[in-house]
Amino acid sequence: MSGFFPSLETFAKGTLATAATLSTLGIGLVYYGQNYLIYPSAFPPGSRIDVAAPSDFELPYEALELKTSDDITLRCYMLPQRKEIGYGEAFIDIPPDMTEEQFIASRPTVMMFHGNGGNLGHRIPLAGIFFKRMRCNVLMMCYRGYGHSEGSPSEKGLRIDAQTGLDYITSHPILKQTPIILYGQSIGGAVAIDLASRNPDKITALVLENTFTSLPSLVPHALPVLGPFAFLCHQKWDSASKIPLIPPTTPILMLSGARDEIVPREHMRVLWEAVAKRGERKKINGSEYKVGLERAKYMEFEYGGHNDTCTQPGYWSAVSEFIASLRSHVLEKQRVSSSSSSSSSSSKASL
């Protein structure tokens, strides 16, 4: 019998070797396979094949193909405003002699960055609210590896995709005249924050919903079994460190679901603290001012989960009011810019 059963020492060594092998395999899967967990672009099933079009919802649109700097084709949707659509907020008064192009240029442009599941087609009803109710131009971004876009998703890739979309707007003969608002849900919020931090002078405002401080800090909650390996997460999306790079004069609306089962509301609260710090008192010409905080707002929805916060009562009213309030902000920004240009011209003339 003693020759049949392995010794305790042999058993222990075998167990240790097996554990080490499984641990190494597990760590390898976590490190190299995390993109499949973070960017489940094929979920729900069919998301890489079946992509709804705005026309399915009776919305006019342009099928837009954007080529990125690393030669990836993104297939997005552009919904430019139209004078004759006949709906929207009552405050919009369209002069009869205003051309279609002038009307488009007079309205804000919303860049939509969706969450990590599904495709842009699933978010068309949300785009419709921006388009119909708020009369915004809407650019629905489709990340690489999502929907019908080429490539595979990654943090580096999505950052390039977002910049490609912004460059399209800022180089467009009509859209470049419009205020640009970034709307991001979940990981889309991280994409929006990153883009704004790298283009502080081009972004007018941000609307952020249920996003996180960073992916490594989210792992222990979203994937508890992988919590001990959070340090291996190479997809950082470190929004907490990028918020301070966004000017305090850039308005930000933060919308949090108190019952979010994926991103704990504490993440949004930490980001809100970072946003609020942009409004700390600063001395300007000898006087103290609270800069920026009055242009930021945080709202928490008691019954909001990760995927249904946008259906909660008061959500879209808050977004609509926020966007309507940007008109005075844009006019002030244009006045300051004009004043600065005049001062610069005067200085050059005096020289």
Side-chain angles (χ1 to χ4, degrees):
M1 292 292 289
S2 61
F4 182 79
F5 290 106
S7 68
L8 287 177
E9 181 180 1
T10 303
F11 179 77
K13 287 181 179 179
T15 302
L16 184 61
T18 302
T21 300
L22 290 175
S23 296
T24 302
L25 180 61
I27 290 173
L29 288 173
V30 170
Y31 187 80
Y32 294 106
Q34 62 187 260
N35 280 24
Y36 294 99
L37 294 174
I38 296 170
Y39 311 105
S41 58
F43 183 83
S47 291
R48 293 285 279 131
I49 300 171
D50 300 322
V51 183
S55 56
D56 298 333
F57 296 82
E58 299 183 349
L59 292 170
Y61 79 106
E62 299 171 6
L64 195 64
E65 289 195 352
L66 301 177
K67 184 71 74 173
T68 67
S69 59
D70 57 346
D71 204 32
I72 297 293
T73 299
L74 307 178
R75 293 182 171 87
C76 309
Y77 295 146
M78 183 70 225
L79 283 65
Q81 271 301 314
R82 293 186 179 181
K83 288 175 59 179
E84 76 282 1
I85 57 178
Y87 31 55
E89 301 290 6
F91 71 86
I92 298 178
D93 182 19
I94 307 175
D97 58 343
M98 178 178 274
T99 66
E100 194 85 349
E101 291 75 15
Q102 289 173 332
F103 182 64
I104 292 172
S106 72
R107 303 307 304 157
T109 296
V110 173
M111 290 186 70
M112 290 184 63
F113 298 106
H114 64 73
N116 70 335
N119 58 53
L120 78 169
H122 297 129
R123 280 76 180 190
I124 293 173
L126 307 186
I129 298 176
F130 282 115
F131 186 80
K132 293 180 179 180
R133 178 173 174 178
M134 303 173 214
R135 298 302 295 271
C136 296
N137 308 298
V138 184
L139 173 56
M140 299 187 70
M141 292 299 301
C142 184
Y143 315 129
R144 64 186 60 202
Y146 279 79
H148 293 156
S149 291
E150 297 176 349
S152 300
S154 67
E155 180 175 12
K156 179 181 178 181
L158 266 63
R159 294 177 77 224
I160 294 173
D161 298 346
Q163 189 66 52
T164 300
L166 179 61
D167 291 345
Y168 167 77
I169 294 174
T170 56
S171 62
H172 191 280
I174 300 173
L175 296 175
K176 68 180 181 181
Q177 306 172 53
T178 69
I180 300 173
I181 302 165
L182 308 183
Y183 174 70
Q185 296 175 297
S186 191
I187 203 168
V191 176
I193 290 170
D194 174 78
L195 183 64
S197 73
R198 292 185 287 115
N199 300 269
D201 299 327
K202 297 178 181 179
I203 305 304
T204 299
L206 293 87
V207 179
L208 307 171
E209 179 205 306
N210 291 338
T211 192
F212 43 81
T213 56
S214 73
L215 272 182
S217 65
L218 180 63
V219 169
H221 177 84
L223 298 168
V225 70
L226 299 180
F229 305 106
F231 68 94
L232 293 173
C233 187
H234 52 69
Q235 301 293 291
K236 303 298 185 183
W237 290 114
D238 189 0
S239 295
S241 69
K242 294 173 183 175
I243 286 283
L245 302 178
I246 301 174
T249 52
T250 300
I252 298 179
L253 174 62
M254 304 188 72
L255 305 162
S256 175
R259 299 189 181 185
D260 191 327
E261 67 285 6
I262 304 296
V263 181
R265 59 182 174 181
E266 286 73 23
H267 281 253
M268 284 289 281
R269 288 177 174 178
V270 169
L271 290 178
W272 167 245
E273 290 175 5
V275 168
K277 284 182 179 178
R278 303 178 316 150
E280 290 179 340
R281 291 189 176 278
K282 299 181 180 180
K283 280 196 172 183
I284 302 177
N285 296 327
S287 299
E288 278 197 347
Y289 293 90
K290 194 89 169 179
V291 181
L293 185 56
E294 71 279 4
R295 294 196 173 103
K297 185 175 183 179
Y298 177 89
M299 292 186 67
E300 197 167 274
F301 297 87
E302 182 180 359
Y303 299 105
H306 189 69
N307 294 315
D308 65 3
T309 294
C310 63
T311 67
Q312 299 304 304
Y315 180 98
W316 288 105
S317 294
V319 175
S320 181
E321 290 169 7
F322 176 73
I323 289 180
S325 72
L326 296 177
R327 180 173 176 79
S328 59
H329 170 68
V330 171
L331 292 174
E332 180 184 345
K333 192 173 181 179
Q334 292 174 340
R335 179 185 61 77
V336 172
S337 176
S338 177
S339 177
S340 299
S341 299
S342 299
S343 299
S344 177
S345 299
S346 298
S347 298
K348 290 179 180 179
S350 64
L351 290 173

